[in-house]
Amino acid sequence: PTPTPTPTPPANTDKGTVTEISFSANTQVVTITADHVPEYRVIDLGDRVVIDVLGAVCPEAVENTVAIAADSDVISAIRYLQHDDDLGYGYPHTLRVVLDLRGGASYAKNIAVEAGQNQIRVTLLPLDIPGLPEEPLDPNKYTIVIDPGHDGTTLGAVYPDASGTKIYEKDLTLSISNKLKTELEKAGFNVVMTRTGETAGDLYERAALANAVEADLFVSIHINASGTVPTFQGLYTYHHPDSDRGKAFAQAVQSAVCAASGAIDRGIASADFVVLRETDMAAVLVECGFMSNVEELERLKTDAYQQKLAEGITQGITDYLNTGAIQK
C-alpha cells in the first residue's frame, strides 16, 4: 500500500501592522506600537541592537529605511525597514528595527526590552544608578529594598471599581509600599524605595539599586489581574525558580500576609522576572490580589486593608530572618 504522506504544517501568517515607532527623549524610551500583540526577537550585534517584529507590516518602511534621530547617550538613531520572508522566521513579513549604539553603550548594560498589550517598549538605561540614599545606611541593621511596581509611565493594570472610577495598579502599589516602609522602619530596618513618586528606573535599574545598597532582602509589590476570570481572587508570592532562599522567603511572606489580611492563599510560585533574577539577595514579588475582581479591588483600595498587607509582609520578613537565613 502507498503510505499516506505527512501533511505539511501551514506557514505562519502575518499578525498585523506596526502603526507607530516613537522615541521620547524625556523618558528615554523607544515605543513600537502595533494593532496586535507583537511577537519579537532581539539580536545583539555589538554596536547595534536589532528587534525583529515577527509577522508585522509597516507601510511607511516598505520601500525605504526610515530613520529617527535620538537625543540619547545610549543610542544615536533608530532605523527600521520592512522585510519579507528573508529573515528565516517563517512569516511572510518581518519589520526589522535597529538601534545604533553610541560608544560605551551595550545591549547587556543599557537596553531593556519589554512587551505588554500592543507595544514593545525599549528602555535606555543610563550608566549611573538613580535613587541611591543620600545618607549612609546603618551596617548594623538589615536593609530592605521595597519596589512599588510600575510608575507613571508603565501604569500596570487599570480596572474600574464598583463606582466605575478607574483604579491604577501603580497607585495601589505605591500606597501599600509606603505603609510597608513605615512598618519596617518601626521594626528597626533600613528601608530603600525604588520609587517614591511617579517616576522610577527600569526593571534592571531597580535591581541594580538593590545591589548597589547591598540590600539583605528585596520585596516587589504588585497587584494581579485576570482578563478572563473576573471571579478569581487571592494572593500569590513569587520567587525566582533558581533561588532556594527566595523560595523560603516567599513562603514566609505568603503565610504571614495571608494570615494578616485574610486573603485567599494561592500559594507561592516561581517566575523568571527581571527583579527576581537580577538581584543579588533573596527577592520576592508579592501579587497582593486581583484588580479584575471588583470585590477584591474594593478591599485593595482601602487604607485599612493596605495596612493589613503591610503588617503581614513585615511579619513575613521578620519570620524569614528569624530562621537564621541571614546573619548580621
Side-chain angles (χ1 to χ4, degrees):
T2 303
T4 303
T6 302
T8 302
N12 291 326
T13 57
D14 282 341
K15 293 174 172 291
T17 302
V18 168
T19 57
E20 183 182 19
I21 296 178
S22 62
F23 173 69
S24 169
N26 291 332
T27 61
Q28 292 291 292
V29 172
V30 179
T31 304
I32 303 170
T33 304
D35 61 2
H36 61 286
V37 178
E39 180 183 355
Y40 66 95
R41 299 289 184 271
V42 180
I43 305 171
D44 180 7
L45 296 178
D47 62 344
R48 60 198 187 280
V49 175
V50 171
I51 302 169
D52 286 333
V53 189
L54 311 187
V57 175
C58 182
E60 66 177 349
V62 169
E63 295 186 358
N64 297 295
T65 298
V66 180
I68 302 173
D71 182 9
S72 170
D73 294 332
V74 177
I75 63 173
S76 58
I78 304 151
R79 299 178 287 117
Y80 53 102
L81 178 66
Q82 184 70 61
H83 285 256
D84 295 325
D85 59 354
D86 55 310
L87 296 177
Y89 294 113
Y91 286 91
H93 299 93
T94 292
L95 180 66
R96 171 156 285 187
V97 181
V98 179
L99 308 180
D100 293 318
L101 299 180
R102 295 191 184 275
S106 69
Y107 171 58
K109 292 183 178 180
N110 304 105
I111 302 289
V113 185
E114 302 173 274
Q117 296 181 341
N118 66 325
Q119 290 185 333
I120 301 168
R121 292 170 50 84
V122 183
T123 303
L124 310 181
L125 310 180
L127 299 178
D128 59 331
I129 302 171
L132 290 175
E134 295 179 2
E135 298 296 326
L137 297 175
D138 184 347
N140 296 314
K141 295 181 179 180
Y142 292 102
T143 298
I144 316 295
V145 169
I146 305 172
D147 174 42
H150 303 284
D151 60 13
T153 302
T154 60
L155 305 178
V158 182
Y159 279 84
D161 63 10
S163 67
T165 302
K166 286 184 177 180
I167 306 298
Y168 293 84
E169 180 181 359
K170 55 100 176 178
D171 295 331
L172 293 179
T173 61
L174 183 59
S175 183
I176 294 168
S177 295
N178 284 332
K179 292 177 175 63
L180 176 57
K181 178 177 185 290
T182 298
E183 290 302 307
L184 288 171
E185 289 178 337
K186 281 166 50 179
F189 295 104
N190 286 314
V191 178
V192 176
M193 301 273 282
T194 62
R195 72 175 175 102
T196 57
E198 288 292 282
T199 58
D202 175 83
L203 296 175
Y204 287 89
E205 286 183 290
R206 297 180 191 220
L209 170 60
N211 295 337
V213 300
E214 298 182 350
D216 296 287
L217 298 172
F218 179 95
V219 180
S220 189
I221 303 297
H222 285 256
I223 317 292
N224 222 330
S226 171
T228 57
V229 187
T231 57
F232 205 78
Q233 299 186 38
L235 191 147
Y236 290 89
T237 302
Y238 283 87
H239 61 90
H240 193 269
D242 295 335
S243 176
D244 290 336
R245 61 182 181 173
K247 182 177 181 180
F249 183 26
Q251 187 59 68
V253 169
Q254 177 74 11
S255 298
V257 73
C258 288
S261 65
I264 295 173
D265 187 346
R266 296 292 178 185
I268 65 173
S270 65
D272 188 31
F273 296 141
V274 169
V275 292
L276 302 182
R277 183 183 67 242
E278 300 296 325
T279 41
D280 294 338
M281 66 295 307
V284 297
L285 186 149
V286 186
E287 293 278 11
C288 296
F290 280 76
M291 293 183 66
S292 47
N293 181 272
V294 175
E295 179 185 347
E296 192 153 53
L297 179 56
E298 289 299 307
R299 288 196 298 273
L300 287 163
K301 286 168 32 184
T302 67
D303 285 333
Y305 190 71
Q306 291 177 14
Q307 182 64 29
K308 290 179 180 179
L309 293 170
E311 292 172 358
I313 295 170
T314 300
Q315 185 61 54
I317 289 170
T318 303
D319 291 346
Y320 175 68
L321 292 174
N322 284 340
T323 66
I326 302 174
Q327 298 294 330
K328 274 304 215 187

